[in-house]
Amino acid sequence: MANKTFQTGDTIGPLVKPAVTKTQLVMYSGASGDFNPIHTVDEFAKEAGLGGVIAHGMLTMAFVGQLLTETAGIEGELRKFGVRFMNMVRPGDVITCEGKVTDVKTESGQQIVSCDIWASNEKGDKVVSGRAEFAVPA
């Protein structure tokens, strides 16, 4: 999405991810090095009081990161990105990532875009919420 002019109040997304799968969680465990069995072994997660496996929070954050990097485009630069985890994501959940531009500045030929970001499950419950800043050519 290069050369877009952003304005305060613009929406970002949505990016709708396919339903989270247990296979995806196993693959993410290997890719991230996070082998906590609450993400891959139902019995362990149930004994831990979670009712079954839950997705890695960082996987959900990565979905939001995908939204941001696709919005900034190949010539853009993600400068700041932070989230708070609000609810658990489980296999079968469909995650929708969105954002809203809160400020735009122009510096050195670039638009510096600040935004609120979030991800929700199919019930509309926010699972991640945060803020980000990216730069794109002006």
Side-chain angles (χ1 to χ4, degrees):
M1 190 178 287
N3 299 326
K4 173 179 172 41
T5 300
F6 289 90
Q7 297 179 350
T8 299
D10 283 352
T11 58
I12 298 173
L15 172 68
V16 181
K17 299 298 293 182
V20 172
T21 67
K22 288 183 178 179
T23 300
Q24 184 179 28
L25 299 182
V26 171
M27 292 171 65
Y28 188 81
S29 291
S32 68
D34 180 352
F35 295 101
N36 188 328
I38 64 170
H39 303 299
T40 55
V41 181
D42 268 324
E43 294 76 20
F44 187 90
K46 287 177 183 171
E47 287 178 20
L50 298 172
V53 296
I54 61 171
H56 305 73
M58 296 304 286
L59 175 62
T60 309
M61 184 177 180
F63 294 160
V64 178
Q66 179 184 357
L67 168 69
L68 292 166
T69 57
E70 287 180 359
T71 300
I74 196 158
E75 295 180 16
E77 174 188 4
L78 182 58
R79 292 185 168 186
K80 296 178 184 175
F81 178 27
V83 299
R84 183 169 63 104
F85 302 107
M86 302 176 72
N87 282 299
M88 292 183 275
V89 173
R90 298 183 181 280
D93 284 354
V94 174
I95 302 302
T96 301
C97 305
E98 301 173 86
K100 188 168 194 170
V101 174
T102 58
D103 189 46
V104 181
K105 296 182 282 193
T106 301
E107 295 178 2
S108 304
Q110 292 188 310
Q111 293 180 81
I112 310 301
V113 181
S114 299
C115 55
D116 291 333
I117 49 173
W118 61 90
S120 305
N121 61 22
E122 67 281 359
K123 297 174 197 162
D125 299 327
K126 284 188 179 177
V127 294
V128 162
S129 178
R131 293 187 176 165
E133 179 182 286
F134 59 87
V136 294

